[in-house]
Amino acid sequence: MRKALTGAYAAAEAMRQINPDVVAAYPITPQTPIMERFAYFVNNGLVDTELIRVESEHSAMSAVVGASAAGARAMTATSSVGLALMFEVVNVASGLRLPIVMNVVNRALSAPINIHGDHSDSMACRDAGWIQIYSENPQEVYEHTLLAIKLSEDHDILLPSMIMQDGFITSHSVEPVDVLDDEVVKQFVGEFKPKHSLLFDKNPLTVGALELYDYFFETKRQQEEAMNVVKQKYYSYAEELSKLTGNKYPMVEKYFLDDAEVAIVALNSAVSTTKVVVDRLRAEGKKVGLLKIRLFRPFPYEEVQDALKNVKFVGVLDRSFSFGADAPVFAEIKNALYDLEVKPKLQSYIFGLGGRELYERDIENAFNQLLSGDVSKEKRYLNLRE
Amino acid sequence: MKDLIEIRFHGRGGQGAKSAAQILAEAVMLEGKYMQAFPEYGPERTGAPMKAFVRISEKKIRTYQPVVNPDYLVVIDPSLIGFKDLIMEGVTNETVFVLNSKKSADEIKQFLGFDGKVYVIDANDIAIRNIGVNKSNMPMLGALVKVSNLVDINKVIEVFSQHFKNKLSEEVFEGNIKAIWEAYNGVNL
Amino acid sequence: MKKSWKEIPEGGLIVEPHTSLENKTGTWRSFRPVWDPQKCIHCMFCVFYCPDNAIPITKDDKPKRLDTNLDYCKGCGICANVCPTKAIEMVEEGDDQ
């Protein structure tokens, strides 16, 4: 069924159909409409969820960690400094191997205070042991939330997932979203079967015990292995979802890349805008292409290398800094290409911090620089006043 | 029809520009087209000038850049017409204006230094008479639909009803419907 | 032998009961309780107060305490402190133990 939904409402719609046992959340712009909408579903009896109102994001994540350890399917959502405040417990969730699924509406971190979209928040959590999936539009927010449930809850994975969408640009933009039937989603996500549970295990279970140098390292090695399993199992779940939606979910999506001489790499809503520019430049006969990163953790190095191996110049768009170092997406792309004998030349572009507009002309300028072979070791900035 | 139609609404926080944009977009979707509706937020505050945007296309809409050159420009609050720089930003000779004002189209054209198509309707008057308050977003949407023929006005009323029939008192709800029709029929083409 | 990362439950979970039995806290002890059965009236004070359940008892209707299990006794001295008949003396662990 086609519904007019914002990215935020698309996330809430997925949550309604998933019908989690427990949701705990604290409102923060621009995540607020997700929880506002979900609270409406709870209030009207459309879900069976225990909705816990908490006094902070730290508590929100703590509550879903407790619920998940108890054996409940638990979800939450946040944004920006809310995610930052959660950070301690974000690592607890992954360290305890709890399959929590969280929608993150990307917003800049303070200071200066800013309510608009950039990727500083989720990129700051890229090493926190969560699966990270970035969404181009409300449709993908909806579908990625369903996919994340399957990945996270696999007993060989048991890692929490974050699904990203751009603050305001995606979260507050109404678009047509094709929503599956409730019953189809119910079948797809299935009943939650925890591997271990404080409430339902036969034996007493201890969660969160102290581990020092004798076992901690082994436990962390397991988390790394679980990320490897995500890569192994990703496509079986992606294909299962594809059969229902008709859409594809490659870890990286190639757009006019096969014969491209130059390419731009992007994630979230910038992907969509870049596609428009690629279409226009292709119509002018220019061999340009786009690589979209859907799965950022675990990072699909081989897929990226394969997609970009014949491209001469690659521009990487980052909506956040890693101050004093290569920007997060750029660093990964550079890593992925290291093993190639003949490597593409790279250019790092920073854009869109604090919601700064990304115009098609900015992307076109970047493509034209790449087409003329004009790349440098220095970062370049799109739509920044010099 | 162009491949992509872009509309910019100017209003003040609380006047319903965002709702008008969303209702238009949803009505368009009911006719099987693709659409996008999004507000532009500054510091969110009642009374602060704000913008809302709609894109309409037969094809899937992919761009997320702000609307640069609007095909239609709707001003919901008459006092905003005075902010010439704000209103004229990105306007081309082809931009069609639909304005809420007691002034004539010619007076406004002269003030803005604009030579294209300008349609004017006194939506505040329509709103006060039908709804009781100067909530002029829905009559302005009625006028836009008449001028642009972007969508069947009945679809707009259908979507408005879905959203507001249970939220507004019967009097205010019916008043809005009457105001939409009065503006739709009253705008001088 | 400690287990490899492939052999332990994920997330540092402890999925079986009684794992504290493997943790011999007796190695922590610097004072050892010496129990005098002659003075003991088997009031069970020491048994209830012992934070490590390190004092075994007989399974009778009127149970009697047995000698402290030094595998788990941390030497905290609470038993000596609560004993109404001073039947427990804390003795410093020597080099000979």
Side-chain angles (χ1 to χ4, degrees):
Chain A
M1 186 187 175
R2 184 158 289 187
K3 294 186 176 183
L5 298 175
T6 60
Y9 273 28
E13 186 73 359
M15 289 172 74
R16 179 183 67 75
Q17 295 185 317
I18 291 162
N19 194 7
D21 300 306
V22 174
V23 168
Y26 191 79
I28 178 169
T29 302
Q31 164 263 27
T32 307
I34 298 182
M35 291 319 301
E36 222 167 54
R37 186 68 175 162
F38 190 73
Y40 165 87
F41 294 144
V42 173
N43 199 38
N44 287 278
L46 300 175
V47 288
D48 307 309
T49 308
E50 180 77 32
L51 181 63
I52 308 173
R53 287 173 296 172
V54 287
E55 74 283 8
S56 76
E57 285 85 358
H58 190 279
S59 305
M61 185 49 72
S62 299
V64 290
V65 160
S68 184
R73 180 179 269 158
M75 299 180 77
T76 184
T78 194
S79 208
S80 181
V81 289
L83 184 57
L85 181 57
M86 263 184 192
F87 185 70
E88 178 189 1
V89 199
V90 164
N91 288 270
V92 173
S94 53
L96 293 177
R97 306 291 298 280
L98 300 172
I100 293 160
V101 173
M102 168 163 71
N103 272 278
V104 172
V105 184
N106 285 115
R107 165 184 154 181
L109 290 175
S110 298
I113 195 163
N114 178 298
I115 59 167
H116 289 279
D118 71 32
H119 300 162
S120 313
D121 49 3
S122 61
M123 285 300 170
C125 289
R126 66 192 189 273
D127 295 337
W130 286 55
I131 297 166
Q132 286 199 333
I133 310 176
Y134 285 79
S135 317
E136 196 184 324
N137 51 35
Q139 182 72 45
E140 285 196 348
V141 170
Y142 169 74
E143 289 164 6
H144 289 166
T145 306
L146 304 181
L147 180 60
I149 291 276
K150 294 292 272 191
L151 286 169
S152 284
E153 293 178 1
D154 183 301
H155 282 193
D156 296 329
I157 295 174
L158 292 177
L159 291 173
S161 292
M162 284 180 205
I163 302 102
M164 266 58 74
Q165 60 175 301
D166 281 330
F168 290 104
I169 297 169
T170 311
S171 66
H172 286 59
S173 179
V174 180
E175 287 188 13
V177 176
D178 293 323
V179 175
L180 296 167
D181 289 341
D182 290 359
E183 195 54 38
V184 170
V185 174
K186 196 176 167 184
Q187 291 288 327
F188 176 71
V189 298
E191 200 180 322
F192 179 51
K193 293 191 187 74
K195 185 173 176 189
H196 291 291
S197 139
L198 285 167
L199 283 181
F200 309 121
D201 274 17
K202 273 188 195 154
N203 284 331
L205 179 71
T206 304
V207 176
L210 180 78
E211 281 187 357
L212 299 176
Y213 40 73
D214 53 353
Y215 274 109
F216 185 86
F217 200 179
E218 278 71 20
T219 297
K220 290 291 142 183
R221 173 67 183 84
Q222 290 179 325
Q223 272 178 255
E224 176 64 9
E225 191 60 19
M227 282 288 184
N228 292 336
V229 178
V230 174
K231 283 196 197 174
Q232 289 158 20
K233 292 202 163 184
Y234 178 85
Y235 278 111
S236 64
Y237 291 125
E239 274 159 30
E240 202 183 321
L241 184 60
S242 289
K243 281 185 192 137
L244 305 178
T245 62
N247 296 324
K248 300 275 181 217
Y249 311 96
M251 295 177 190
V252 296
E253 182 186 318
K254 296 194 280 183
Y255 192 74
F256 287 97
L257 262 188
D258 287 341
D259 66 339
E261 286 171 6
V262 310
I264 274 181
V265 180
L267 40 74
N268 267 15
S269 68
V271 168
S272 238
T273 312
T274 305
K275 283 179 179 172
V276 176
V277 179
V278 169
D279 288 356
R280 190 181 305 140
L281 295 180
R282 279 273 165 180
E284 294 170 13
K286 293 175 178 170
K287 291 195 168 172
V288 299
L290 163 73
L291 184 69
K292 154 177 161 177
I293 309 291
R294 183 190 314 271
L295 188 66
F296 191 74
R297 284 292 182 273
F299 193 83
Y301 290 100
E302 283 165 27
E303 289 78 359
V304 169
Q305 190 189 79
D306 188 60
L308 295 177
K309 63 176 188 257
N310 295 323
V311 178
K312 294 196 179 94
F313 296 94
V314 177
V316 182
L317 305 191
D318 269 278
R319 205 165 193 145
S320 63
F321 275 113
S322 172
F323 294 104
D326 284 340
V329 185
F330 181 76
E332 299 300 4
I333 300 303
K334 203 170 169 184
N335 277 342
L337 301 179
Y338 181 82
D339 289 334
L340 287 176
E341 297 263 325
V342 183
K343 300 177 183 65
K345 295 252 184 298
L346 298 178
Q347 175 61 53
S348 173
Y349 292 99
I350 310 286
F351 77 101
L353 295 198
R356 174 61 51 85
E357 300 87 342
L358 177 68
Y359 289 100
E360 290 168 11
R361 60 175 179 258
D362 302 323
I363 300 166
E364 208 169 318
N365 288 342
F367 267 129
N368 284 329
Q369 274 182 346
L370 296 169
L371 283 165
S372 64
D374 175 14
V375 294
S376 80
K377 297 266 182 211
E378 301 295 316
K379 297 182 180 80
R380 285 178 183 164
Y381 303 92
L382 301 179
N383 199 14
L384 173 81
R385 291 185 300 277
E386 293 290 351
Chain B
M1 193 163 141
K2 282 174 65 184
D3 259 8
L4 182 66
I5 302 280
E6 297 180 301
I7 304 153
R8 187 168 85 210
F9 291 82
H10 288 271
R12 293 182 179 278
Q15 287 180 330
K18 177 175 177 275
S19 294
Q22 183 165 348
I23 288 165
L24 173 62
E26 288 191 32
V28 163
M29 193 183 83
L30 289 183
E31 292 191 343
K33 290 179 195 160
Y34 288 93
M35 55 71 173
Q36 207 183 55
F38 54 103
E40 183 186 286
Y41 286 101
E44 294 166 82
R45 234 177 1 179
T46 300
M50 58 81 68
K51 298 174 212 165
F53 304 94
V54 175
R55 287 195 172 99
I56 299 171
S57 178
E58 299 285 347
K59 291 185 278 185
K60 191 168 162 52
I61 299 166
R62 293 186 300 195
T63 191
Y64 282 105
Q65 71 172 354
V67 168
V68 180
N69 305 119
D71 297 290
Y72 293 91
L73 190 140
V74 183
V75 180
I76 288 177
D77 190 306
S79 68
L80 290 174
I81 300 170
F83 296 92
K84 198 169 150 185
D85 292 348
L86 179 79
I87 300 300
M88 294 303 288
E89 193 190 346
V91 166
T92 69
N93 290 336
E94 273 72 51
T95 304
V96 176
F97 281 68
V98 185
L99 307 175
N100 177 9
S101 178
K102 293 186 196 304
K103 294 199 176 107
S104 73
D106 285 339
E107 279 177 275
I108 289 174
K109 276 187 189 183
Q110 200 171 14
F111 170 74
L112 293 176
F114 178 69
D115 215 19
K117 287 183 181 165
V118 173
Y119 298 92
V120 173
I121 185 136
D122 187 356
N124 276 10
D125 176 59
I126 293 174
I128 287 168
R129 276 189 291 100
N130 289 287
I131 310 167
V133 288
N134 64 342
K135 273 265 179 193
S136 43
N137 62 335
M138 292 316 296
M140 283 310 292
L141 186 52
L144 170 69
V145 169
K146 181 62 172 285
V147 167
S148 65
N149 209 16
L150 287 167
V151 67
D152 180 350
I153 189 70
N154 290 299
K155 288 281 187 291
V156 171
I157 287 172
E158 187 182 329
V159 174
F160 177 76
S161 306
Q162 281 171 12
H163 280 271
F164 290 104
K165 199 165 178 38
N166 297 325
K167 279 190 187 166
L168 301 175
S169 71
E170 203 184 326
E171 210 182 339
V172 172
F173 175 74
E174 293 298 338
N176 269 285
I177 304 274
K178 278 187 206 153
I180 293 171
W181 280 114
E182 189 177 332
Y184 180 81
N185 292 320
V187 64
N188 276 327
L189 294 189
Chain C
M1 265 298 269
K2 290 206 161 60
K3 291 175 176 172
S4 86
W5 66 267
K6 293 172 189 165
E7 297 166 323
I8 55 173
E10 71 284 343
L13 294 179
I14 300 172
V15 297
E16 285 167 4
H18 311 307
T19 50
S20 62
L21 293 177
E22 290 167 32
N23 195 10
K24 301 266 169 90
T25 46
T27 56
W28 302 9
R29 194 175 57 245
S30 54
F31 283 86
R32 176 167 33 106
V34 177
W35 172 56
D36 182 351
Q38 305 303 320
K39 289 187 190 167
C40 179
I41 57 171
H42 301 282
C43 68
M44 300 287 128
F45 270 33
C46 58
V47 174
F48 293 141
Y49 274 97
C50 176
D52 283 282
N53 274 345
I55 304 171
I57 57 172
T58 61
K59 288 181 179 173
D60 299 324
D61 285 345
K62 281 193 169 179
K64 291 188 176 350
R65 70 154 281 178
L66 303 169
D67 210 349
T68 307
N69 185 340
L70 293 177
D71 278 351
Y72 300 103
C73 170
K74 293 189 297 215
C76 68
I78 289 174
C79 53
N81 200 276
V82 299
C83 181
T85 61
K86 305 287 176 215
I88 300 166
E89 188 189 351
M90 297 305 292
V91 178
E92 192 163 4
E93 293 282 7
D95 295 339
D96 58 328
Q97 64 167 303

